[in-house]
Amino acid sequence: MPELPEVETTVRGLATVLDGQVITRVGVNRADLRRPFPVDLAQALTGARVTGLSRRAKYGLIHTDRDRTMVFHLGMSGRWRIDPEDIGKHDHLVLETADGRVLSLNDARRFGSVDLVDTAALDAWPQFAALGPEPLGEGLSVAHLKAAFKGRIAAVKLLLLDQRIVAGLGNIYVCEALGRAGIHPEREGGKVSAKALALLVPAIRDVLNESIAAGGSTLRDYARPSGELGYFAKDWRVYGREGEACACGGTVERVVQGGRSTFFCGTCQK
């Protein structure tokens, strides 16, 4: 599933061709993805000018001058294509702009979603209302994590995946951040010291920023809007490296937490 860096990379790629442009045509090629497309999507967007693009957690946002925002989620296999050579059966939403550009939302598995939300009401939208702070924003701090983890016996890795605590963190980047911070993923959240949290916060930011700079991690169908593949996977230190040597001299292990694989080094992560 595309995670925060992949969504951020997608939003930045779309902004290069969509920001400030007028949408002249909206093609909805099927009734639904994970849930139905908004019935007024074409009417709301046709003729609208894009006033900006942003991201919240793992959602991309396309803002318009009609005070409505199109919110998209890439699901398991979704990706935007810019000026595709042709429109295929998995290109379920197509936008055309006044300067002749074409953008298609391609989603073979159809686990993605598209919604229309009044821009002024975005923070209160149910999918956003309960989200925690953005990991790249000032809201993520040692004090925030200390308060969120206080008294919790759940594993720190599972707590970091809780979108109510930190918005947008996914399995790959939590494994990588914990590895960099030297924190064992099975440690009880309430027992993670302030000293360890002081290492974890910058580790989260660093791993996300490095992945964004690399265009994300290529997993299955993910590609940037330009069609290029992200290459951060080559820099994974623990994720997907079970049985391989860690830089500390230990060996990367794998356990299952919450139904997901967790990769870590038991030698340097305590």
Side-chain angles (χ1 to χ4, degrees), residues 82-100:
I82 295 176
D83 297 327
E85 292 184 1
D86 53 30
I87 300 300
K89 67 177 182 179
H90 299 308
D91 292 302
H92 306 307
L93 174 64
V94 179
L95 306 179
E96 296 181 13
T97 66
D99 65 345

Side-chain angles (χ1 to χ4, degrees), residues 227-243:
E228 296 176 280
L229 300 178
Y231 55 88
F232 186 67
K234 69 180 181 61
D235 294 323
W236 289 344
R237 300 186 186 184
V238 291
Y239 189 84
R241 295 188 55 208
E242 180 183 9

Side-chain angles (χ1 to χ4, degrees), residues 3-250:
E3 295 191 18
L4 185 153
E6 289 76 47
V7 179
E8 180 68 26
T9 301
T10 294
V11 167
R12 294 183 185 186
L14 292 176
T16 63
V17 297
L18 197 53
D19 195 9
Q21 295 298 316
V22 173
I23 299 172
T24 56
R25 179 180 175 274
V26 179
V28 181
N29 297 330
R30 62 173 295 114
D32 57 9
L33 294 178
R34 184 173 59 195
R35 53 179 177 268
F37 281 104
V39 294
D40 60 340
L41 183 65
Q43 179 181 359
L45 296 184
T46 303
R49 184 178 296 277
V50 175
T51 57
L53 292 91
S54 61
R55 176 194 53 77
R56 180 70 168 112
K58 299 177 186 178
Y59 291 86
L61 290 78
I62 300 175
H63 309 286
T64 73
D65 61 356
R66 294 179 178 174
D67 298 323
R68 302 192 80 185
T69 294
M70 190 183 90
V71 183
F72 65 86
H73 193 288
L74 296 174
M76 296 290 291
S77 61
R79 63 188 181 97
W80 282 92
R81 301 200 296 153
I82 295 176
D83 297 327
E85 292 184 1
D86 53 30
I87 300 300
K89 67 177 182 179
H90 299 308
D91 292 302
H92 306 307
L93 174 64
V94 179
L95 306 179
E96 296 181 13
T97 66
D99 65 345
R101 308 303 295 271
V102 177
L103 302 98
S104 67
L105 178 57
N106 184 285
D107 189 353
R109 299 187 181 186
R110 302 199 309 273
F111 283 112
S113 62
V114 171
D115 294 278
L116 272 177
V117 183
D118 290 340
T119 304
L122 278 169
D123 288 344
W125 190 48
Q127 282 83 341
F128 290 172
L131 289 177
E134 287 288 321
L136 295 177
E138 295 181 358
L140 178 63
S141 64
V142 172
H144 169 74
L145 291 182
K146 186 176 181 180
F149 291 174
K150 184 177 181 180
R152 301 292 296 272
I153 63 172
V156 61
K157 192 237 181 170
L158 298 181
L159 291 174
L160 289 172
L161 290 175
D162 186 337
Q163 300 298 290
R164 297 168 296 182
I165 294 177
V166 185
L169 287 184
N171 197 40
I172 294 173
Y173 301 104
V174 169
C175 288
E176 289 294 303
L178 289 171
R180 293 186 183 206
I183 300 172
H184 197 290
E186 294 180 314
R187 190 192 303 185
E188 292 182 14
K191 294 183 178 179
V192 179
S193 68
K195 182 178 179 180
L197 292 177
L199 296 174
L200 179 60
V201 169
I204 290 171
R205 293 200 177 103
D206 287 347
V207 75
L208 292 175
N209 281 321
E210 289 172 24
S211 183
I212 291 167
S217 299
T218 298
L219 284 175
R220 296 184 181 177
D221 303 310
Y222 172 71
R224 287 178 274 185
S226 62
E228 296 176 280
L229 300 178
Y231 55 88
F232 186 67
K234 69 180 181 61
D235 294 323
W236 289 344
R237 300 186 186 184
V238 291
Y239 189 84
R241 295 188 55 208
E242 180 183 9
E244 297 182 27
C246 175
C248 75

Side-chain angles (χ1 to χ4, degrees), residues 157-158 161 171 254-262:
K157 192 237 181 170
L158 298 181
L161 290 175
N171 197 40
R254 183 182 73 89
V255 296
V256 177
Q257 292 180 285
R260 301 177 184 177
S261 291
T262 296

